[in-house]
C-alpha cells in the first residue's frame, strides 16, 4: 500500500481566510501565531512559546515569516494582554509603551495593528491573529466597524478550521 498523501487543505483554508481578511481590510500583513510547548526550564517548568504558522502579505510587502518561530511568550506580554481583551481594536504602534512587542512591530515597519485570540473548542487560547498596517495610506482607509466584523469573522473561521484539524 502507498502512503496517504499529506492533506494541505487546512493550511490552504487558513491562508484563504488570512488573504481575504488582509485584502478586505487594506492590511499589509495578516498572520497566525500558534502557541506551543518549547521544552522546559531547569526547574522543570514548561516553556511557553509561539510560532507564526501562516502569513498573508500585500504584494511588495516584505514577509516576516523567517525568524518568527519559537518566540518565548514572556517577551510578548504586552501583546498577550491585548489578545486576552478579545477586542478587534486598532492600535497605533507609536502609542505602545516601550517593550519587546513594540520593538518587534517597529522592526517590521508596523504603524497600526489589531490582534485577536484563536481558541480551541474548550475556549482555551491556542494562538492569535495579528493584522498589520505599514503605511498610513492603507491604515487611513480602514472602516473600523466593517473591519471589526471581518476580523471577528475570519478569526471564528480559523478557530473552526483548527478545531477540525485536531480531530483527524
Amino acid at each position: 500500500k502507498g502512503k496517504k498523501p499529506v492533506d494541505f487543505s487546512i493550511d490552504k483554508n487558513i491562508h484563504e481566510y488570512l488573504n481575504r481578511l488582509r485584502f478586505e481590510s487594506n492590511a499589509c500583513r495578516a498572520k497566525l501565531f500558534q502557541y506551543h510547548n518549547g521544552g522546559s526550564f531547569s526547574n522543570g517548568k514548561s516553556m511557553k512559546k509561539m510560532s507564526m504558522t501562516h502569513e498573508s502579505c500585500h504584494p511588495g510587502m516584505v514577509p516576516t515569516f523567517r525568524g518568527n518561530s519559537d518566540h518565548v511568550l514572556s517577551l510578548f506580554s504586552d501583546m498577550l494582554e491585548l489578545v486576552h481583551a478579545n477586542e478587534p481594536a486598532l492600535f497605533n504602534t507609536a502609542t505602545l509603551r516601550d517593550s519587546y512587542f513594540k520593538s518587534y512591530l517597529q522592526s517590521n515597519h508596523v504603524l497600526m495593528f489589531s490582534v485577536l485570540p484563536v481558541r480551541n473548542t474548550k475556549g482555551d487560547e491556542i494562538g492569535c491573529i495579528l493584522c498589520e498596517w505599514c503605511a498610513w495610506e492603507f491604515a487611513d482607509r480602514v472602516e473600523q466597524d466593517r473591519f471589526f466584523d471581518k476580523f471577528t469573522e475570519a478569526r471564528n473561521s480559523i478557530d473552526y478550521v483548527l478545531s477540525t484539524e485536531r480531530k483527524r
Side-chain angles (χ1 to χ4, degrees):
K1 279 186 171 177
K3 282 188 176 177
K4 203 171 134 187
V6 178
D7 181 8
F8 291 109
S9 62
I10 286 176
D11 293 317
K12 190 172 180 273
N13 287 340
I14 290 170
H15 277 293
E16 285 173 13
Y17 290 126
L18 291 176
N19 284 334
R20 187 178 313 132
L21 172 62
R22 182 189 51 74
F23 180 78
E24 290 177 347
S25 61
N26 285 303
C28 297
R29 293 186 202 97
K31 310 169 173 185
L32 172 62
F33 286 94
Q34 293 187 65
Y35 306 150
H36 56 90
N37 188 341
S40 37
F41 293 104
S42 59
N43 66 2
K45 187 174 186 257
S46 175
M47 212 183 282
K48 302 270 190 258
K49 292 188 174 184
M50 71 177 183
S51 292
M52 184 198 305
T53 57
H54 301 79
E55 179 179 37
S56 171
C57 291
H58 186 276
M61 278 310 305
V62 177
T64 61
F65 191 82
R66 189 174 278 119
N68 255 317
S69 63
D70 281 341
H71 282 296
V72 180
L73 277 183
S74 59
L75 292 173
F76 287 85
S77 56
D78 288 8
M79 180 188 82
L80 294 173
E81 282 178 22
L82 300 175
V83 170
H84 298 327
N86 193 22
E87 286 292 324
L90 296 165
F91 298 96
N92 182 328
T93 303
T95 64
L96 295 178
R97 66 177 175 235
D98 288 346
S99 66
Y100 186 87
F101 179 50
K102 183 178 182 177
S103 296
Y104 167 84
L105 292 170
Q106 289 175 326
S107 70
N108 290 311
H109 311 288
V110 178
L111 300 171
M112 186 173 82
F113 69 94
S114 188
V115 66
L116 278 178
V118 172
R119 294 197 167 105
N120 63 18
T121 52
K122 295 177 199 146
D124 303 323
E125 286 181 18
I126 57 169
C128 63
I129 300 173
L130 182 63
C131 282
E132 302 174 341
W133 290 266
C134 303
W136 288 117
E137 65 182 287
F138 295 110
D140 289 342
R141 281 192 246 155
V142 178
E143 297 169 36
Q144 230 171 357
D145 292 342
R146 191 167 175 272
F147 168 71
F148 293 171
D149 292 343
K150 295 292 177 190
F151 195 8
T152 303
E153 183 183 312
R155 185 273 309 273
N156 293 346
S157 298
I158 290 171
D159 278 356
Y160 176 75
V161 168
L162 287 173
S163 73
T164 63
E165 174 182 48
R166 303 227 173 349
K167 291 176 185 151
R168 292 185 179 187

